[in-house]
Amino acid sequence: MSITVQNLSKKYGPQLAVNDISFEVKTGEILGFLGPNGAGKTTTMKIITCYMAPSSGDVKVGQYSVLNNQDQIKKKIGYLPESNPLYTDMQVLEYLEFVAKLQGVPSSKIEKRIAEMVHVCGLNIEKHKKIGELSKGYRQRVGLAQAMIHDPEILILDEPTTGLDPNQIVEIRKLIRELGREKTVILSTHILPEVEATCDRILIINEGKIVADGTPETLRKQAQGQEIIKVEVSDAANSDDVITALSSIPSVAMVDPVKDKQFSYYINSKENQSSKREVFETVVKNNWVLTEMTPIETKLEDIFRDLTTN
Amino acid sequence: MSTTWIIASRELKTFFDSLSAYILITVFLGLSGFFTWLFGSDIFFINQATLQPFFSVAYWTLFFFIPAITMKMIAEEKRSGTLELLLTKAVSDWQMVAGKFVASLLLIAITLALTIPYYITISFLGPVDHGAVWCGYLGMILFSSALLGIGFFASSITNNQIVAFLLSLFIGLFFIIIFDVLAGNFTGFIGQVFHYLSLSTHYDSISRGVIDSRDLIYFGSISYLGLFLATIVLSKRNVVE
């Protein structure tokens, strides 16, 4: 089931939290929703899950619109809200049963679904405890379990891995990947490696507007533009000689010495050209020794920072 | 309907899983029993087999207890964020409010049912006006549902339980005392309006054993209006500016 967001805006008083955004998520796609705090991620999710109505624009889930088919949409969506609110005075099993009933799971299947969720989310030891007695990690698992209990076609997870330990994070990511094969998943996070590990597509949003949309690779390519390599040379007598020699290579745009390190340089190539081979040949011709040549990849963090700071 | 019932049964279970229901029942039975049998104008003092002393104590006890039941109903859900959790399930605002109302009313009905032994005991002591007793119970339920409506409204406009409690007491005070006093101070049309709005006049006529449709409509509309306003306040998050 696909999600189509069309010219969505949401105002809180005079403040525009979401400003005319449009995007589409297809079935079987895992969309990573990135953005600094207050960018409008949670607001967008709240609108998709029918908690709030948009100020203008529309969201279509399958053929249903959030403006007039809320009941059908709510049944199709599993939602983990941002701070993972739960009824702390209920037992885990009791709570899962309550949610299953609300979401219209037929009573003959409730027991099976609960057992499955307890297994998948690793809740077996804690299932008879009250939710208020659980640690943060276990509460997060209960949050995930309640979101998935009715086997929804769409999962919307607002920061699903906060509070989990590294092992659990790996498990949950694996789980999301598996679910993502047949379901549509939107997840928001601050952890950038998580997006790379789990998402097919990234959407970066800043101040209510979409600033980037694409796979991690395409985003990287867009941001990078030109090749950057780090080179270290030894056996040269004078650093200036090296810089002059390297700068004279036709494909090199700029040579930038690394701070606090002699005979080490960042070399920016001209657009759509690679200078690796020529750098190597130049070094050999001068009887120097090339001790390091590392391509510098633009990290997702850098892309994120570039796009979201003004 | 079934969604409403799922929510109501969860709420009811929460009452009995925590101490709140037991405290409410114990204190209610204790207070009303004390004044019915032992102290003040108890039945031995007035020397009549009647539940009138019980009903007048129950009236005031419920006046203070109902805000205590309703104060957390919506305010706490808002504060802890579980409101979002609940309303993104296949539940409408109205179903949630109605479910909680049904649970609260059931709790009060259970509490009142536990005072049936008073009625039985008193009926052994002398001739009891059975009609008046059942009307008294009906009056209690109607009175409670009106106060619950007020309480839900108060709980919906804040996320602080204490504010919700005080606010519903304050609004309740208007309905059971202040409108009555104002009705005495004005004559003509305004006086009649206040007289109609006063909850105590309607309650009195029912507890005397007169079941008038106007009184039923009055109590029904107060509680419906309270719940309706509560859903309106909740739906404010959807306001398109």
Side-chain angles (χ1 to χ4, degrees):
Chain A
M1 193 168 251
S2 63
I3 302 171
T4 319
V5 175
Q6 296 160 341
N7 304 90
L8 184 73
S9 293
K10 178 74 187 176
K11 264 187 199 166
Y12 292 118
Q15 198 197 350
L16 203 56
V18 175
N19 185 0
D20 195 26
I21 64 170
S22 303
F23 61 89
E24 198 179 336
V25 195
K26 293 188 199 75
T27 313
E29 193 171 36
I30 305 178
L31 178 77
F33 216 27
L34 288 178
N37 290 320
K41 288 173 295 185
T42 301
T43 306
T44 309
M45 290 186 157
K46 281 181 176 172
I47 293 170
I48 298 174
T49 53
C50 302
Y51 180 63
M52 278 196 283
S55 301
S56 67
D58 193 3
V59 177
K60 287 234 166 73
V61 176
Q63 76 269 36
Y64 303 116
S65 156
V66 292
L67 298 177
N68 37 34
N69 300 93
Q70 304 187 347
D71 287 344
Q72 285 96 325
I73 293 178
K74 282 172 173 179
K75 281 197 176 160
K76 303 250 187 285
I77 290 183
Y79 177 43
L80 174 68
E82 190 178 16
S83 49
N84 189 21
L86 294 165
Y87 288 111
T88 47
D89 49 6
M90 288 178 94
Q91 281 180 13
V92 174
L93 288 181
E94 207 176 66
Y95 178 64
L96 291 179
E97 191 188 332
F98 170 63
V99 175
K101 277 188 193 159
L102 277 185
Q103 293 291 45
V105 179
S107 49
S108 56
K109 283 192 188 151
I110 286 181
E111 215 167 308
K112 204 177 131 244
R113 282 302 298 168
I114 292 176
E116 219 173 302
M117 284 300 113
V118 165
H119 173 72
V120 167
C121 298
L123 283 164
N124 205 27
I125 346 167
E126 308 278 357
K127 64 183 175 190
H128 293 295
K129 277 197 188 166
K130 281 196 172 178
I131 292 171
E133 294 166 2
L134 299 180
S135 68
K136 198 165 179 242
Y138 274 102
R139 281 189 205 194
Q140 198 69 19
R141 294 182 192 205
V142 175
L144 281 167
Q146 63 86 20
M148 299 186 295
I149 189 94
H150 57 300
D151 198 17
E153 291 176 54
I154 292 167
L155 268 177
I156 298 196
L157 310 171
D158 207 346
E159 299 181 17
T161 55
T162 38
L164 299 179
D165 67 42
N167 296 335
Q168 293 168 350
I169 290 181
V170 172
E171 276 170 42
I172 293 297
R173 283 182 193 163
K174 210 177 105 200
L175 180 67
I176 293 173
R177 278 235 74 105
E178 273 166 29
L179 290 169
R181 271 188 224 130
E182 60 234 61
K183 295 185 199 311
T184 313
V185 182
I186 299 183
L187 73 93
S188 84
T189 178
H190 289 300
I191 312 163
L192 295 159
E194 180 161 297
V195 185
E196 294 209 85
T198 41
C199 300
D200 304 319
R201 201 172 123 210
I202 300 177
L203 202 70
I204 302 180
I205 175 170
N206 188 37
E207 291 174 351
K209 277 192 168 296
I210 293 174
V211 289
D213 183 358
T215 60
E217 291 79 50
T218 51
L219 287 188
R220 216 179 259 132
K221 226 173 254 167
Q222 265 173 28
Q224 201 155 21
Q226 49 189 186
E227 182 191 77
I228 303 170
I229 48 175
K230 191 184 171 203
V231 166
E232 198 184 338
V233 173
S234 65
D235 289 6
N238 190 333
S239 185
D240 289 339
D241 290 349
V242 183
I243 295 179
T244 332
L246 290 175
S247 304
S248 63
I249 300 170
S251 60
V252 169
M254 197 177 71
V255 178
D256 190 15
V258 178
K259 270 180 212 148
D260 306 325
K261 215 172 165 198
Q262 261 204 309
F263 300 112
S264 197
Y265 315 91
Y266 287 117
I267 300 176
N268 289 26
S269 312
K270 287 185 179 144
E271 239 171 280
N272 299 322
Q273 291 184 40
S274 174
S275 57
K276 284 179 196 151
R277 172 177 275 275
E278 281 150 303
V279 168
F280 178 78
E281 282 165 355
T282 311
V283 169
V284 171
K285 214 163 47 192
N286 287 294
N287 282 327
W288 301 324
V289 178
L290 187 66
T291 49
E292 186 190 341
M293 182 188 276
T294 326
I296 306 288
E297 265 202 334
T298 314
K299 280 189 251 140
L300 211 47
E301 274 89 347
D302 299 327
I303 302 173
F304 182 77
R305 215 173 302 125
D306 265 7
L307 290 169
T308 55
T309 50
N310 302 323
Chain B
M1 185 59 219
S2 74
T3 308
T4 309
W5 180 244
I6 295 166
I7 290 181
S9 59
R10 188 200 84 84
E11 287 295 334
L12 207 57
K13 200 164 176 310
T14 311
F15 282 136
F16 286 96
D17 274 350
S18 66
L19 276 175
S20 58
Y22 302 103
I23 293 175
L24 172 81
I25 291 173
T26 314
V27 174
F28 181 81
L29 292 181
L31 270 180
S32 56
F34 182 68
F35 287 104
T36 309
W37 302 102
L38 298 172
F39 186 78
S41 53
D42 61 79
I43 57 158
F44 301 112
F45 181 80
I46 57 177
N47 214 8
Q48 258 180 37
T50 169
L51 254 73
Q52 222 46 59
F54 162 71
F55 285 126
S56 52
V57 178
Y59 183 82
W60 286 105
T61 325
L62 286 176
F63 175 70
F64 286 101
F65 275 2
I66 286 172
I69 295 173
T70 54
M71 68 179 185
K72 78 174 176 92
M73 282 299 177
I74 299 171
E76 177 64 16
E77 299 255 4
K78 277 209 237 177
R79 196 194 57 74
S80 68
T82 44
L83 186 73
E84 186 179 347
L85 195 73
L86 203 55
L87 294 181
T88 50
K89 308 275 174 265
V91 178
S92 68
D93 294 9
W94 173 256
Q95 283 169 331
M96 183 198 77
V97 174
K100 283 167 176 282
F101 172 79
V102 169
S104 315
L105 195 60
L106 275 176
L107 176 68
I108 289 162
I110 291 168
T111 312
L112 287 172
L114 289 172
T115 64
I116 299 276
Y118 294 179
Y119 170 38
I120 298 170
T121 331
I122 288 172
S123 68
F124 280 121
L125 294 176
V128 178
D129 181 351
H130 296 285
V133 170
W134 290 116
C135 282
Y137 276 113
L138 177 69
M140 282 279 118
I141 292 285
L142 290 172
F143 169 69
S144 304
S145 67
L147 285 185
L148 283 173
I150 293 169
F152 272 90
F153 168 65
S155 186
S156 72
I157 59 178
T158 172
N159 47 20
N160 181 324
Q161 295 191 34
I162 306 295
V163 173
F165 177 77
L166 294 175
L167 195 67
S168 63
L169 273 188
F170 184 66
I171 301 174
L173 217 52
F174 268 89
F175 278 96
I176 69 170
I177 295 177
I178 296 177
F179 287 152
D180 203 25
V181 173
L182 287 177
N185 286 350
F186 288 97
T187 49
F189 178 69
I190 300 172
Q192 273 184 344
V193 169
F194 282 125
H195 185 75
Y196 182 77
L197 281 178
S198 165
L199 202 149
S200 37
T201 50
H202 295 276
Y203 174 77
D204 285 344
S205 71
I206 286 191
S207 64
R208 271 200 313 271
V210 186
I211 298 177
D212 186 334
S213 58
R214 269 177 305 177
D215 299 326
L216 298 180
I217 290 168
Y218 173 83
F219 284 110
S221 36
I222 296 261
S223 59
Y224 178 76
L225 198 68
L227 299 184
F228 178 69
L229 287 177
T231 59
I232 294 287
V233 173
L234 282 179
S235 70
K236 240 175 46 185
R237 66 181 193 279
N238 293 326
V239 167
V240 179
E241 292 179 46

